[in-house]
Amino acid sequence: MSSTERQRDLLFRQSIGSDEFERIDYLLKTSLRSPSAKVTDAWAISSPILTMQFEARARDLLVAESWVDTARLTSVNAASSVFQNGFTVPPQGMMFPIGTPQVSPPVSVTPGLVPKFEFLLCRVVIGRSYCTNDAASLMEGGQLVIPDGYDSLYLVRGDNSNAADISATPKSMNQAEAQTPKNYHEYVVLEGAQVIPCFLVHFTYDPSQDSA
């Protein structure tokens, strides 16, 4: 079976107007605080093995949803690989945003057309989080060490973390405060089993339409 065929077996298109499709669209609008944001397509990602691993790790722990921009993923965690194998978390951990999605402006936009985006809607095991504004101090020999009794790190805004893949370029505290929405939080996890991709979502979004 080719990789394309395996991906097709893992993705199940959601019917427009179905309860799940409407829930994703509502979640997108409320997360972005934008009535103009609109889901155009959504596929459920089905992997019994990933689901079993995630549910075992998540038992009795706090879980949150995270919008992950596929354009910001590295080759190690390309969407096609994540569908089948989940996320590969490096020794320095991986950051997942919770709250308002971080939508990067498109490189170019055709006049008259609303920009389109592709995100993964994931569930992340946060559990008990250790708060820090200096994740670098928790690195030992190139590996992030979360204190005993904690499941994740909560990055205080402005932290110059080395967490991989999804985090934006480190900013100064003033830059971070000015550019980051209030309803935006960053958590770092160390295990791939703490994250499961649930939906591949295509949507349109143009914030200028909200202020029109």
Side-chain angles (χ1 to χ4, degrees):
M1 182 182 294
S2 68
S3 60
T4 300
E5 290 173 325
R6 285 196 296 270
Q7 289 177 40
R8 191 178 299 123
D9 289 340
L10 295 170
L11 298 177
F12 296 88
R13 197 170 199 168
Q14 304 299 289
S15 300
I16 295 176
S18 66
D19 290 346
E20 199 62 78
F21 188 97
E22 292 299 318
R23 184 189 78 84
I24 296 170
D25 187 66
Y26 177 77
L27 180 62
L28 177 71
K29 285 179 167 61
T30 54
S31 297
L32 286 171
R33 300 182 181 182
S34 168
S36 70
K38 181 180 180 181
V39 173
T40 58
D41 233 330
W43 293 264
I45 302 169
S46 177
S47 173
I49 293 177
L50 293 181
T51 299
M52 181 178 63
Q53 294 173 341
F54 178 81
E55 290 181 349
R57 186 64 179 84
R59 188 173 295 118
D60 299 325
L61 295 175
L62 178 64
V63 174
E65 289 180 304
S66 174
W67 290 96
V68 176
D69 188 349
T70 60
R72 304 178 84 178
L73 294 173
T74 65
S75 57
V76 174
N77 281 309
S80 57
S81 174
V82 170
F83 298 156
Q84 300 177 57
N85 307 311
F87 286 91
T88 299
V89 179
Q92 67 267 38
M94 182 179 292
M95 186 280 285
F96 287 87
I98 305 297
T100 303
Q102 296 298 281
V103 180
S104 302
V107 176
S108 61
V109 179
T110 303
L113 296 181
V114 180
K116 297 181 179 180
F117 303 90
E118 179 181 85
F119 274 60
L120 291 173
L121 180 56
C122 304
R123 298 182 71 209
V124 182
V125 177
I126 292 174
R128 188 181 181 205
S129 293
Y130 183 84
C131 296
T132 180
N133 61 0
D134 184 17
S137 66
L138 300 175
M139 297 293 291
E140 296 182 7
Q143 180 169 345
L144 179 67
V145 178
I146 296 178
D148 290 342
Y150 295 89
D151 304 286
S152 63
L153 286 186
Y154 174 74
L155 300 181
V156 177
R157 195 173 297 173
D159 173 42
N160 275 350
S161 170
N162 290 317
D165 289 339
I166 301 174
S167 60
T169 302
K171 302 178 178 70
S172 69
M173 178 67 82
N174 289 338
Q175 287 175 314
E177 291 288 348
Q179 299 177 18
T180 305
K182 290 183 178 180
N183 184 33
Y184 176 79
H185 307 279
E186 295 178 342
Y187 291 86
V188 177
V189 300
L190 287 178
E191 304 171 35
Q194 285 181 257
V195 188
I196 187 169
C198 298
F199 295 94
L200 175 66
V201 182
H202 289 179
F203 64 89
T204 57
Y205 172 56
D206 182 0
S208 66
Q209 293 187 357
D210 296 329
S211 58

